[in-house]
Amino acid sequence: MSERVLYTKPSITALEAEYAADAAANGWGSRCYDYIVRFEAMFSEHLDVSHAIATSSCTGAMHMGLAALSIGVGDEVILADTNWIATAAPIAHLGATPVFVDIDPASWCIGPQAAERAITARTRAIVATHIYGNLADMDALLDIGRRHGIAIIEDSAEAIGSVWHGGRRAGSMGRFGTFSFHGTKTITTGEGGMFVTEDRELFEKVLTLSNHGRARAQKKQFWPDEIGFKYKMSNIQAALGCAQMVRINELTARKREIFGRYRSLLADLAGVTLNPQPQGTVNGAWMPTAVLDRDLGISREDMVVAFAAANIDARVFFHPLSSLPMFSPRLDNIHAYDIPERAINLPSYHDMTDEQIGRVAGVIARLVEQAGRQAAE
Ligand SMILES: Cc1ncc(COP(=O)(O)O)c(C=O)c1O
């Protein structure tokens, strides 16, 4: 049996090991925040935003950002039905209601018109998740936000390296943006996240919340002024993050290179669509994904079985969140329910070889050829 192809893993070099070992040996006492401060500075410079706060996860960053906007009981937050639960859970934790709307079948991200139709007097925010590195239509969403006085938030957990029109990076355009550095992501700190914003007041609020409610200006020791959170990143994790940021261009370029290779192997197959990249934008290509036309008659389950037989990990496309037991089904979210039934995430990690990429693409190609033969019979 050929070697297993994992769906993703990080790229860790001697640099990451050196920084992490330095943090472990020396990053204490007066130096206990050095790598954290440096990681935040490197990240905000890369994104071209004024403020960044390193967190223990993207989920934590989202939780604090929503809390800092005073979103709570009785409020509604609109988000795409196609999402990871991590985007909806903080809304629910705050006692607000997640309102799931359909995706745009072209971007697989929240449909701006669907989002606008869902606005009510209780709506406080729209979360645009840039799914798999694909970009939500930020111009349309920001326009809706301005017209309705609603915050547009970017869940950019999967979108480092993605760039919207005008060179604006994913996560830098909304009221705030959040990122994930989980071990499956393009850059990693093991677990970890980042909150970014241009809004100084919001930044100060999240900073206070992230420090158990202790404001920077508070002179009394051990004196929280409000109930906050403990979603901090450690200096050792931040050391890993600094090394990854030194290599950020190399890391995002390699993800795009892998995606480009899949594109060249699969783009000519009739009925196979890969992640979109509209003219003038860049897809950070965190997760190459194939969506097969319904006419081919190939289901998600067919693909899962074929990949397992080839000793390749393949992830299913996100189930609609509204189909989960704790929510109510929104069957009118047609695309969010339809696309996952005929889609599959393809493995992508920096050390992948061309031979491995070819093996993965070959599974899809064989399924499509087989379907073509069956249709001809
Ligand atoms: C779209 C999306 N949002 C949020 C998260 C949560 O990230 P974390 O695991 O860092 O909390 C993830 C991670 O898988 C994600 O894919």
Side-chain angles (χ1 to χ4, degrees):
M1 185 68 138
S2 51
E3 194 193 341
R4 184 161 194 81
V5 180
L6 302 171
Y7 86 85
T8 183
K9 59 181 173 176
S11 167
I12 301 297
T13 64
L15 189 69
E16 283 79 5
E18 183 196 318
Y19 280 25
D22 177 52
N26 307 308
W28 310 103
S30 62
R31 294 188 51 196
C32 71
Y33 299 121
D34 284 6
Y35 278 109
I36 299 172
V37 171
R38 192 165 147 201
F39 185 36
E40 290 169 343
M42 292 173 94
F43 202 83
S44 51
E45 189 188 338
H46 176 74
L47 230 63
D48 196 19
V49 291
S50 310
H51 309 290
I53 301 172
T55 58
S56 53
S57 69
C58 180
T59 312
M62 181 63 76
H63 198 173
M64 290 195 292
L66 295 172
L69 291 178
S70 304
I71 289 173
V73 177
D75 293 332
E76 292 175 355
V77 177
I78 296 168
L79 69 164
D81 212 344
T82 298
N83 243 311
W84 178 224
I85 187 68
T87 317
I91 300 169
H93 284 315
L94 290 167
T97 305
V99 176
F100 301 115
V101 301
D102 207 0
I103 50 172
D104 173 348
S107 69
W108 315 339
C109 298
I110 191 165
Q113 286 165 0
E116 187 162 20
R117 277 197 301 274
I119 293 173
T120 70
R122 292 169 181 265
T123 305
R124 295 288 316 283
I126 297 173
V127 181
T129 300
H130 302 299
I131 213 82
Y132 304 140
N134 301 1
L135 284 150
D137 183 344
M138 285 309 293
D139 292 344
L141 290 165
L142 291 171
D143 180 53
I144 292 167
R146 265 190 299 272
R147 283 192 281 108
H148 292 269
I150 291 170
I152 305 299
I153 294 163
E154 291 179 88
D155 181 334
S156 302
E158 307 180 351
I160 195 156
S162 296
V163 188
W164 185 239
H165 298 280
R168 290 167 296 164
R169 290 190 176 276
S172 70
M173 294 169 274
R175 187 77 186 281
F176 68 83
T178 58
F179 289 84
S180 173
F181 311 126
H182 180 255
T184 53
K185 298 297 190 293
T186 299
I187 74 164
T188 193
T189 57
E191 293 277 2
M194 194 71 80
F195 171 91
V196 300
T197 187
E198 280 297 329
D199 181 332
R200 182 166 181 89
E201 212 177 309
L202 192 66
F203 163 69
E204 288 293 342
K205 269 193 186 163
V206 171
L207 206 57
T208 300
L209 285 176
S210 77
N211 197 18
H212 267 319
R214 291 181 288 178
R216 281 207 279 194
Q218 178 55 262
K219 293 288 176 275
K220 271 203 254 181
Q221 277 191 327
F222 289 101
W223 191 263
D225 290 295
E226 59 185 306
I227 296 288
F229 298 90
K230 186 68 194 297
Y231 287 142
K232 285 171 173 248
M233 176 178 280
S234 75
N235 200 47
I236 299 175
Q237 289 170 298
L240 273 177
C242 286
Q244 297 265 279
M245 287 309 290
V246 169
R247 301 176 53 224
I248 183 74
N249 292 334
E250 168 204 333
L251 293 172
T252 51
R254 178 64 187 141
K255 291 290 277 189
R256 284 177 47 71
E257 196 175 45
I258 293 165
F259 177 55
R261 187 132 192 104
Y262 277 126
R263 192 173 279 294
S264 68
L265 293 169
L266 294 171
D268 290 342
L269 282 183
V272 178
T273 304
L274 299 180
N275 312 52
Q277 179 174 268
Q279 192 77 31
T281 69
V282 176
N283 191 317
W286 172 60
M287 182 70 81
T289 298
V291 178
L292 274 55
D293 282 3
R294 199 162 269 285
D295 300 351
L296 290 172
I298 301 166
S299 69
R300 159 183 57 203
E301 285 69 29
D302 295 333
M303 291 188 266
V304 167
V305 168
F307 275 109
N311 206 20
I312 295 168
D313 281 350
R315 264 186 26 155
V316 300
F317 196 100
F318 286 127
H319 305 287
L321 290 183
S322 73
S323 69
L324 300 177
M326 52 286 200
F327 300 118
S328 305
R330 290 291 311 260
L331 300 175
D332 51 329
N333 291 336
I334 299 168
H335 303 297
Y337 275 75
D338 168 47
I339 292 178
E341 292 181 350
R342 49 192 178 85
I344 202 88
N345 296 145
L346 307 176
S348 168
Y349 53 90
H350 307 88
D351 298 340
M352 243 182 135
T353 62
D354 284 354
E355 186 266 331
Q356 288 172 318
I357 298 169
R359 260 176 67 197
V360 176
V363 174
I364 299 280
R366 274 194 300 281
L367 281 169
V368 172
E369 278 159 23
Q370 221 171 31
R373 271 201 306 279
Q374 273 162 4
E377 276 166 19

